[in-house]
């Protein structure tokens, strides 16, 4: 993997997620779009921190790919509820999304299934 290209790809996706979440909300409720931007930021941020800490405590090394994949898990996790949750809910949704991703990734490795993301 080329870590620089992976990081740029995740940042492009994250930026596009603002267009998706905030743009969809803006079409229906313009007053709520700023709140959606905050929840769309908090969830992947919390997921990234969670993924990095779990990886560090398990293997005693930092893993950028785990952090980046957890960012995507946080974005996916918060998308459905981004306009109706409180800010602190987005943090917990990101943490749960990261833990679900880590568990699913480990299960796929145990089952020896090929995953293009890992």
């Amino acid at each position: 993997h080329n870590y620089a290209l992976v990081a740029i790809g995740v940042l492009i996706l994250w930026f596009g997620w603002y267009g998706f979440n905030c743009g969809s909300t803006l079409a229906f409720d313009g007053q709520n779009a700023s709140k959606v931007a905050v929840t769309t930021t908090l969830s992947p941020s919390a997921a990234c921190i969670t993924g990095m800490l779990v990886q560090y405590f398990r293997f005693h090394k930092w893993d950028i790919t785990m952090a980046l994949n957890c960012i995507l898990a946080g974005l996916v996790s918060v998308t459905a509820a981004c306009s109706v949750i409180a800010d602190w809910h987005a943090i917990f949704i990101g943490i749960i999304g990261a833990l679900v991703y880590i568990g699913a990734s480990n299960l796929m490795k145990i089952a020896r299934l090929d995953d293009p993301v890992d």
Side-chain angles (χ1 to χ4, degrees), residues 17 21 39-40 43-44 73-83 85 90 93-94:
W17 229 278
N21 284 354
T39 57
T40 302
S43 181
L75 287 167
V76 169
S77 300
V78 79
T79 296
C82 64
S83 64
I85 58 173
I93 289 172

Side-chain angles (χ1 to χ4, degrees), residues 8-34:
I8 289 170
V10 169
L11 289 175
I12 290 169
L13 280 169
W14 196 344
F15 184 72
W17 229 278
Y18 287 114
F20 179 71
N21 284 354
C22 300
S24 300
T25 303
L26 191 59
F28 296 108
D29 181 15
Q31 301 297 326
N32 204 17
S34 61

Side-chain angles (χ1 to χ4, degrees), residues 40 74 83 93 95 99 106 112:
T40 302
S83 64
I93 289 172
I95 291 169
L99 294 175
N106 289 332
R112 296 180 183 229

